[in-house]
């Protein structure tokens, strides 16, 4: 097979659970206000999964829609990657549970841990496997049930997150340029600014650990904000240079949906406010699902159409970050 096949996204799908939690609802849970949340984050509401819905249930729903959109059957999938920081359990992987739910019996499956950056990392991983000729068809999912991992007594974090999933089907044979070269980076020295410190091998489950609430997500918001703006801005510039594309030629920018003020700061820096996509108002931060849901919505609402150049960019715990460029081929 050709060592460098072009690869494109041939279908997308997304799913958010039925239950909506508004800023007004949050006023009854922690000391906050709609005014504070909206002015500081741009968020109005988020979706919350039911007790019996885990990350694989959300992911499977998004996957079914993406497969239908792509016109691909589940048995044609060679690889499933689920990007998540809220897996069904430590093991087996959430991807294996999705495989079972959608009947993708010919796929090999694994989860990818890059926090909020996971979907972009997974897209690039799957793309490279297809480009190298190792596989033909991949299903990439970002799925999160963040509501289980936030401390509902911590107003600094619980208001920020929501549940949901997005998926994309990738295949060889792009019309146009398809998925181009990604730029990704990480900085483990800053891990403690955004992490869930308890529950793993470093700080195992114990009554004491749970009493100290170490099993919940912790974030130093202001610090994370600064790094997110700088890293996403820098990485978009690097990805455009790497692919020899001018910022003026890009039709749509889709950033990680963590805070509209982060998105606005990147827009101002790049001078692209008119082409920046955001749906953070409706879903809040769904971590690795955020980019996947936004991409699906941008396609379905007609923001992105055939031949458009699209830039994706992410930032998350680790720290991790990245950007990619693609030419939409459908
Ligand atoms: O997905 C991974 C990436 N994550 C992010 O990118 C998130 C990045 N960070 C942020 O988006 C923002 O830092 C936040 C939205 C988390 C916070 O906004 P901020 O403007 O940085 O506020 P702050 O944390 O500096 O807090 C300002 C004030 C504090 O009160 P004092 O100390 O000034 O009296 C907080 O206690 O706002 C208070 N506060 C709240 N007030 C009402 C914090 N949370 C709330 C709340 N409601 N929910």
């Amino acid at each position: 097979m050709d060592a460098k096949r072009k690869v494109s996204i041939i279908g997308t799908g997304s799913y958010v659970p039925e239950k909506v939690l508004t800023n007004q609802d949050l006023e009854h849970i922690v000391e906050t206000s709609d005014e504070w949340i909206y002015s500081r984050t741009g968020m109005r509401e988020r979706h919350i999964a039911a007790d019996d819905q885990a990350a694989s249930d959300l992911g499977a729903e998004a996957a079914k829609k993406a497969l239908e959109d792509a016109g691909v059957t589940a048995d044609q999938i060679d690889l499933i990657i689920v990007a998540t920081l809220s897996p069904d359990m430590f093991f087996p992987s959430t991807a294996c549970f999705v495989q079972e739910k959608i009947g993708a019996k010919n796929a090999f499956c694994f989860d990818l841990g890059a926090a909020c950056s996971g979907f972009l990392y997974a897209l690039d991983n799957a793309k490279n496997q297809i480009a190298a000729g190792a596989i033909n068809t991949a299903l990439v999912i970002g799925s999160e049930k963040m509501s289980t991992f936030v401390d509902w007594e911590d107003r600094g974090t619980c208001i920020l997150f929501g549940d949901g999933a997005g998926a994309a089907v990738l295949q060889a044979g792009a019309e146009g340029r398809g998925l181009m070269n990604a730029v990704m980076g990480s900085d483990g020295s800053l891990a403690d600014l955004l992490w869930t410190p308890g529950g793993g091998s470093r700080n195992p489950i114990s009554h004491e650990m749970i009493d100290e609430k170490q099993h919940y997500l912790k974030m130093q918001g202001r610090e994370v904000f600064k790094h997110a703006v700088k890293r996403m801005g820098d990485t978009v510039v690097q990805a455009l240079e790497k692919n020899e594309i001018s910022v003026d030629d890009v039709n749509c920018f889709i950033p990680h949906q963590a805070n509209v003020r982060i998105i606005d700061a990147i827009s101002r820096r790049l001078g692209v406010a008119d082409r920046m996509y955001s749906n953070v108002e409706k879903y809040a931060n769904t971590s690795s699902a955020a980019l996947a849901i936004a991409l699906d919505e941008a396609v379905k609402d007609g923001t992105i159409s055939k031949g458009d150049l699209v830039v994706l960019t992410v930032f998350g715990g680790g720290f991790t970050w990245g950007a990619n460029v693609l030419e939409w081929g459908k």
Side-chain angles (χ1 to χ4, degrees), residues 35-307:
E35 196 282 325
W36 192 95
I37 299 172
Y38 187 67
S39 63
R40 299 284 178 135
T41 69
M43 297 167 186
R44 288 277 191 212
E45 57 190 38
R46 67 283 298 136
H47 290 247
I48 303 292
D51 289 346
D52 63 355
Q53 284 181 309
S56 70
D57 299 301
L58 311 183
E61 292 306 315
K64 285 181 212 162
K65 292 185 190 179
L67 289 175
E68 194 185 335
D69 190 40
V72 162
T73 56
D75 58 5
Q76 288 177 272
I77 303 166
D78 302 311
L79 163 66
I80 300 174
I81 308 178
V82 174
T84 185
L85 59 75
S86 50
D88 287 28
M89 46 189 79
F90 273 161
F91 80 92
S93 69
T94 300
C96 283
F97 289 119
V98 170
Q99 174 195 34
E100 163 63 13
K101 287 181 207 303
I102 65 172
K105 55 185 187 305
N106 298 318
F108 70 100
C109 310
F110 65 91
D111 289 357
L112 187 150
C116 299
S117 304
F119 184 71
L120 189 141
Y121 276 45
L123 271 185
D124 194 55
N125 185 305
K127 174 216 136 184
N128 287 331
Q129 295 203 43
I130 296 171
I135 57 167
N136 284 318
T137 306
L139 172 62
V140 175
I141 300 168
S143 185
E144 302 285 8
K145 187 178 181 184
M146 297 301 290
S147 56
T148 10
F149 291 93
V150 294
D151 176 357
W152 288 99
E153 293 180 346
D154 175 13
R155 68 177 183 173
T157 52
C158 75
I159 57 122
L160 297 170
F161 295 96
D163 301 335
V169 179
L170 276 61
Q171 223 168 42
E175 279 186 50
R177 282 167 283 187
L179 278 157
M180 299 181 213
N181 298 310
V183 174
M184 292 173 288
S186 307
D187 183 353
S189 74
L190 300 170
D192 62 349
L193 296 178
L194 177 54
W195 65 359
T196 299
S201 55
R202 170 76 51 206
N203 188 1
I205 296 166
S206 67
H207 290 292
E208 194 187 3
M209 184 279 285
I210 289 172
D211 288 345
E212 289 169 358
K213 295 184 163 193
Q214 298 294 310
H215 56 305
Y216 289 133
L217 181 149
K218 316 275 179 201
M219 178 168 71
Q220 295 187 33
R222 259 185 225 179
E223 280 305 304
V224 174
F225 189 107
K226 282 187 268 175
H227 286 279
V229 170
K230 176 157 174 36
R231 288 300 187 188
M232 283 195 276
D234 287 352
T235 312
V236 165
V237 171
Q238 289 162 11
L240 289 171
E241 279 171 12
K242 189 169 181 177
N243 292 291
E244 297 179 350
I245 287 170
S246 143
V247 74
D248 297 334
D249 294 334
V250 177
N251 301 91
C252 181
F253 293 82
I254 308 183
H256 175 48
Q257 305 288 313
N259 186 326
V260 80
R261 291 190 295 131
I262 294 176
I263 295 172
D264 288 346
I266 300 167
S267 293
R268 281 194 298 275
R269 173 173 164 191
L270 299 172
V272 299
D274 53 329
R275 291 168 279 156
M276 188 62 90
Y277 195 84
S278 174
N279 61 11
V280 72
E281 184 170 341
K282 294 189 288 180
Y283 305 120
N285 182 350
T286 57
S287 186
S288 68
L291 179 65
I293 295 171
L295 175 64
D296 180 49
E297 288 204 346
V299 172
K300 303 282 160 68
D301 71 17
T303 302
I304 299 174
S305 49
K306 189 171 170 148

